[in-house]
Amino acid sequence: MKRILLLLIIVAALMPLVNAQQGMFAPSVQSPLIGKDGSVIFKVKAPDADTVRLIIDSRLDTLMQRQNDGNWSLTLRDLKPDLYMYHYSIDGVKVLDDNNAQVCHDVKNVMNKFILDPYGDCPMAVHDVPHGDVSAVWYDSPSLGMKRRMMVYTPAGYEESRQRYPVLYLLHGTGGDETVWTEQGRTAQILDNLIASGKAEPMIVVMPNGNVDEPAAAGSGPDNNVQPTFAHKNWMDGTFEQSFNDIKTWVDSHYRTRDAKRYRAIAGLSMGGYHSLYISANQPDDFGYVGLFSPAIGRMDKGKSKIYDDIETKLVNQFKQRPKLYWMGIGKDDFLYKDNAEFRKMLDQHRLRYTYYESTRGHEWTNWRDYLVIFTQLLFK
Amino acid sequence: MKRILLLLIIVAALMPLVNAQQGMFAPSVQSPLIGKDGSVIFKVKAPDADTVRLIIDSRLDTLMQRQNDGNWSLTLRDLKPDLYMYHYSIDGVKVLDDNNAQVCHDVKNVMNKFILDPYGDCPMAVHDVPHGDVSAVWYDSPSLGMKRRMMVYTPAGYEESRQRYPVLYLLHGTGGDETVWTEQGRTAQILDNLIASGKAEPMIVVMPNGNVDEPAAAGSGPDNNVQPTFAHKNWMDGTFEQSFNDIKTWVDSHYRTRDAKRYRAIAGLSMGGYHSLYISANQPDDFGYVGLFSPAIGRMDKGKSKIYDDIETKLVNQFKQRPKLYWMGIGKDDFLYKDNAEFRKMLDQHRLRYTYYESTRGHEWTNWRDYLVIFTQLLFK
């Protein structure tokens, strides 16, 4: 009682000082309200609005229903367990959920997020299992002439043990940065859960920044107010691929890695899949496992760098040395589907053996998280 | 040219897939636009709005001017170099800046952020200096019976060196979590800059979670969709203080620390100042440096835990053992000013020597960042 009273005194005292913080003192509506049955109820106050829409990443854009109390509401059922990103549109103006402080951004678009885990088995959710650590580290890149930032996941027990671990290098797409695989990608939660259940081997996951124009994500580099963007100067021109060994060398000298091809994997989404394709083809002795998630393959490469020349010859040579796994995943609706089909056809003509996974939907995070869940269970076994 | 063309093709192809991402494809207005003279121009599109306000954390709440092109604009000058958090209010609805993907939250209130550094010397800005690493680690807390998450800053060169480092334990306020000192608090940037310029000693900074009800910040713990809040069950009742040695023991066994009183500091803001006061008073042999930033001192403690009993006797005993620095800072407008004045009066009556810093303004981050800049320059010398 005394504690509650004191709390009220402090909150009351704080109010004039935090006039910006309506969200904090607004009558606390719970939104989204997630039921045990997996239903999700969204509620937003907008008494004067004519139309309020709910937009869930690229999955849903629908009208909400006006309630008598000035709120607009919508109930969704049978959503797949996953991470969801959403926002409201009130008379055409983008508005975040004032009752949800959990946000995430995709390139420049800031959205609220929630986790749907009705059965307690969603690999993207945090569960009560041993957790690995995630570090934002700065490594030296002599080829790019700068210190660069990357995220490194070390599995639970790494600090206490003396053993060496295999490494997955996990690359992002254009518009992304070193943080996206731990944010939208849920890498730490996915690995924590798969390792705890014995479905994946304990591994180090290295998530560098594939945009060579910036040393770090927006807000973490010397250009303090730079914004995330699709437009890069040195973009898919071989620069990142040529500088990749700076990362590998630094990781092998700073972490207890198993420095051998069969203990090293590289994978990436979109531009990161393109990077993974060319880095592994140019360094056939380095990667026992390759994962191409909706890779940005599209004849964009010829002549731009020796990294991209004679790719068929390089691939034939790479497969001669028998990678343990060459995995490709793409969604039926992906705008890169046709280019990927042609790439697979070329691999087939050369009788190069790969694993192919085709999902529904398009070029989006719900697919890339699923691909990571599938791919990481196949590594280092 | 070819690259630009390709970029347009990809962006065009992506558009139908990312209908949620207006922000990404909207004509790219730069807002806030920060001039070399330190002026800041805000611009937001709202052609149908009657009133648009700009709200900058607790510092400013003002009307913007309607332009002919459907935008509303405002120019600010002579702002102090610092981190700023802001949002818009369009006809009373809270709206974030669609041209700024950089956001931050304070308790439940999500805001955009920008850094103002017109002279290139703002200690809160990222500068081109060696950067330390920041790790989200999980430590074992036997007293609380759970694994808990905290952030640890290790200074540039830590990985490469074999030397041992002093440690600052840095605690947050109620409503905060283990992430606030690296987010709003800018601890990594402040330490990077002060260490690079020789103004602060290289040190490890440990930022635990002071809310014993949750193992981690909202979104990082098993209660995936929990929201940040002021209301805690075990709140300032001695539980955190009694479990503090779990953190110290873990840090000393996992990092190259200098395990001696004169190389150990503890500081915190608001509730974290209260925690720092009682932890250091109960463990007089452990901390050579104590920092109380707007500490939540307010007779809220008596009888709730033996941690809080006989505090005057404990303080007299603590000061007998000559801490190298006992530092207190508070703003003139802080709602805790009077309670802090009475605490200082009590210290004076016992002739206990402390350093006192009085700032303008109230119970807010702009003060706590300044206090961190001042306090860390006095440590371990």
Side-chain angles (χ1 to χ4, degrees), chain A residues 3 13 17 20-21 57-58 100-102 106 115 126 133-136 138 160 224-227 233 254 335, chain B residues 3 13 17 20-21 24 57-58 100-102 106 115 126 133-136 138 160 224-227 233 254 335:
Chain A
R3 184 184 303 134
L17 299 169
Q21 306 193 4
D57 41 50
S58 62
N100 185 356
Q102 293 195 36
D106 190 7
I115 290 282
V126 179
D133 299 337
V134 175
S135 301
W138 291 80
E160 292 68 25
N224 288 275
N225 297 303
V226 70
Q227 293 299 326
K233 207 165 103 281
H254 286 72
F335 72 99
Chain B
R3 184 184 304 134
L17 298 170
Q21 306 193 3
M24 200 158 63
D57 40 52
S58 62
N100 185 357
Q102 293 194 36
D106 191 6
I115 289 283
V126 179
D133 299 337
V134 175
S135 300
W138 290 81
E160 292 67 26
N224 288 273
N225 298 304
V226 70
Q227 294 299 326
K233 208 166 101 283
H254 285 73
F335 72 98

Side-chain angles (χ1 to χ4, degrees), chain A residues 123-124 134 153 168 170 179-193 205-207 365 369 372 376:
Chain A
M124 292 77 184
V134 175
Y153 168 87
L168 163 62
L170 190 56
T179 68
V180 296
W181 267 116
T182 47
E183 293 301 321
Q184 297 98 310
R186 308 292 287 179
T187 303
Q189 293 75 23
I190 289 170
L191 268 294
D192 283 352
N193 294 326
V205 185
V206 175
M207 294 154 278
W365 274 106
R369 286 186 293 264
L372 186 67
T376 49

